[in-house]
Amino acid sequence: MNGFAWADFATNLLWCAAASLGVMLLTFALALRKGMHRIVDIAWGLAFTAVAVVSWVLSADSGEPARRLLVTVLTAVWGVRLAAHIARRGRGHGEDPRYEALLAKAPGSRNLYALRIVYLLQGALVWLVSLPVQAAQYITGPMGAVAAVGACLWAVGVCFEAVGDAQLARFKADPANKGRIMDRGLWSWTRHPNYFGDFCVWWGLFLITCDAPAAAAAVLVSPVVMTLLLTKGSGKRLLEQHMAERPGYASYMARTSGFFPLPPK
């Protein structure tokens, strides 16, 4: 059974919390300058990347090099791709209506409310969800078959996200599709290929920690929290509430799986 550097991991937790917080505070300062809070969505993937890199640097004398490099690269590829996609999608647009609606409820200063409810909360979630990435850096001994399965599941997730995002972008770019519901390609198998992709990515990264069962048990909360966010929190549930009144969406829901990919009815 592989070992785990618990003491070094505990120190890492503090530095990674600082890294996540630092990314969010820098983003908040930039948002104030631009007068637009939607850029926090770009920072989400970049904050995960920052945490992975900090863990990789700190674990140089603690964990097995191949595993450390693997989880760092996988996290960075996912995080940078997501940030670039969101940046391209939002170019030329104003404030996101979600943040407009949220900040309209601010009891006092809108910016301080945004700092508490958006930036600090997302910073804390980045730290929590990234625990498997942090823990994997401190596992000693070679990677096993479960880690390989985790890397493959990560690859499935990134493919679902990238292909689904590209298909949706092409669909929206065609003026003939204005007002229509995207129900082609991956979107005919699941109403949320990007959220399903996220699910696969984070359970895949968790599996890489399973070479050290005690460490995996300690960070199991992370993929569980991400799954709840995607299915019950700010992901699928809120998006479908927003889309519910769109013409044709009810019939799309009736024939298309809500999360896990299944053949269309």
Side-chain angles (χ1 to χ4, degrees):
M1 184 180 296
N2 292 336
F4 187 72
W6 288 101
D8 293 340
F9 176 60
T11 301
N12 172 91
L13 292 175
L14 297 175
W15 284 103
C16 286
S20 178
L21 178 62
V23 171
M24 288 301 166
L25 290 179
L26 287 173
T27 305
F28 177 66
L30 182 59
L32 293 183
R33 183 175 179 181
K34 295 175 69 69
M36 185 165 54
H37 291 290
R38 72 180 303 151
I39 62 172
V40 71
D41 294 338
I42 301 172
W44 176 253
L46 298 181
F48 281 104
T49 303
V51 166
V53 171
V54 167
S55 289
W56 179 71
V57 171
L58 292 174
S59 62
D61 298 324
S62 303
E64 197 274 322
R67 184 184 292 102
R68 290 172 51 239
L69 182 62
L70 176 65
V71 294
T72 303
V73 170
L74 295 187
T75 306
V77 168
W78 172 82
V80 172
R81 189 214 72 86
L82 180 63
H85 167 70
I86 293 175
R88 286 194 300 269
R89 187 181 64 187
R91 189 178 297 125
H93 294 276
E95 183 63 281
D96 190 308
R98 294 175 302 157
Y99 294 122
E100 286 283 6
L102 177 65
L103 297 180
K105 304 174 184 177
S109 167
R110 288 166 61 98
N111 288 328
L112 290 179
Y113 187 72
L115 176 62
R116 296 196 315 271
I117 301 300
V118 178
Y119 295 86
L120 296 183
L121 177 59
Q122 290 203 26
L125 286 173
V126 166
W127 179 84
L128 178 62
V129 172
S130 67
L131 286 177
V133 175
Q134 300 177 52
Q137 312 266 9
Y138 292 89
I139 300 174
T140 60
M143 287 185 288
V146 176
V149 171
C152 291
L153 183 59
W154 173 92
V156 169
V158 168
C159 286
F160 259 84
E161 288 191 60
V163 172
D165 287 341
Q167 290 176 341
L168 182 60
R170 286 197 299 270
F171 179 84
K172 288 184 173 181
D174 186 349
N177 293 324
K178 186 175 182 180
R180 298 178 61 186
I181 300 297
M182 170 55 162
D183 59 356
R184 307 171 189 176
L186 293 180
W187 299 83
S188 67
W189 286 69
T190 168
R191 301 197 296 272
H192 305 283
N194 48 352
Y195 294 154
F196 172 73
D198 261 355
F199 168 87
C200 292
V201 163
W202 287 101
W203 279 102
L205 290 170
F206 167 76
L207 289 178
I208 298 175
T209 71
C210 289
D211 287 326
V219 301
L220 176 60
V221 63
S222 301
V224 171
V225 167
M226 179 57 102
T227 300
L228 292 175
L229 287 173
L230 293 170
T231 58
K232 306 294 184 183
S234 59
K236 174 179 178 290
R237 182 181 63 86
L238 286 184
L239 180 59
E240 293 197 338
Q241 285 179 357
H242 173 71
M243 296 289 291
E245 302 302 320
R246 291 276 299 273
Y249 197 75
S251 61
Y252 174 60
M253 291 180 67
R255 66 179 183 270
T256 310
S257 172
F259 194 75
F260 293 101
L262 295 171
K265 297 177 182 178

